[in-house]
């Protein structure tokens, strides 16, 4: 089966450069599936899992915002933060979720509540991606 090249990059540098049969990403308008030869496009990413399917296996990546650029032969993910499921420190992610929940319950001002909610969403995403590996 034909494959598509996948590059995942953050401000800290490359996270992964691999090949996949199919890429599934969570964009702001919903999930999209990308196969080799897909029409060119750019879409903003949500906090969510990026799934890279190759043969009979799936590699999950926790992505925290950014953009996905699709060309017929290459998918480039420019993310604010991205972690392979195998690299996630689950204890740290659970501690981050607990801290964010405590901040939300402290009923701080609106901005702090929104920031705590984003922290919680990122921590939950990391936990979910880790558990799907």
């Amino acid at each position: 089966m034909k494959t598509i090249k996948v590059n995942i990059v953050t401000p800290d540098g490359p996270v992964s450069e691999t090949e996949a049969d199919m890429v599934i990403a969570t964009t702001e308008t919903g999930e999209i599936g990308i196969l080799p030869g897909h029409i060119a496009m750019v879409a903003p990413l949500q906090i969510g899992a990026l799934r890279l399917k190759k043969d009979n296996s799936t590699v999950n990546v926790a992505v925290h915002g950014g953009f996905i650029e699709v060309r017929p032969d290459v998918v480039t993910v420019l993310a604010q933060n991205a972690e392979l499921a195998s690299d996630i420190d689950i204890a740290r992610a659970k501690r981050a979720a607990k801290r964010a929940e405590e901040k939300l319950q402290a009923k701080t001002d609106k901005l702090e509540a929104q920031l705590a909610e984003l922290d919680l969403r990122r921590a939950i995403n990391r936990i979910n991606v880790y558990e799907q590996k």
Side-chain angles (χ1 to χ4, degrees):
M1 181 176 199
K2 194 172 177 188
T3 61
I4 190 166
K5 186 174 179 171
V6 181
N7 298 315
I8 303 170
V9 183
T10 69
D12 295 329
V15 173
S16 177
E17 294 180 16
T18 188
E19 302 262 330
D21 297 330
M22 182 178 191
V23 178
I24 302 168
T26 306
T27 68
E28 291 193 0
T29 57
E31 275 196 344
I32 59 168
I34 301 156
L35 296 169
H38 195 285
I39 188 170
M41 64 170 275
V42 175
L45 293 171
Q46 289 266 24
I47 294 171
L50 179 74
R51 298 189 307 272
L52 310 174
K53 295 187 177 253
K54 175 85 186 234
D55 299 325
N56 291 328
S57 65
T58 301
V59 174
N60 293 303
V61 183
V63 176
H64 303 152
F67 292 90
I68 186 166
E69 177 192 21
V70 179
R71 289 180 280 156
D73 57 341
V74 179
V75 171
T76 303
V77 175
L78 304 167
Q80 294 165 354
N81 191 358
E83 282 182 277
L84 296 169
S86 58
D87 294 340
I88 293 173
D89 180 345
I90 190 65
R92 185 172 151 248
K94 288 180 178 179
R95 286 192 310 269
K98 185 177 179 186
R99 276 193 312 273
E101 287 172 348
E102 289 169 357
K103 284 182 188 176
L104 277 173
Q105 291 173 355
K107 298 196 179 186
T108 56
D109 66 34
K110 187 175 179 179
L111 177 60
E112 287 182 16
Q114 288 174 332
L115 292 173
E117 185 179 336
L118 280 173
D119 288 344
L120 181 59
R121 287 179 55 207
R122 285 191 290 265
I124 289 171
N125 181 46
R126 291 175 71 230
I127 292 166
N128 290 341
V129 167
Y130 178 85
E131 290 174 349
Q132 292 172 1
K133 72 174 183 175

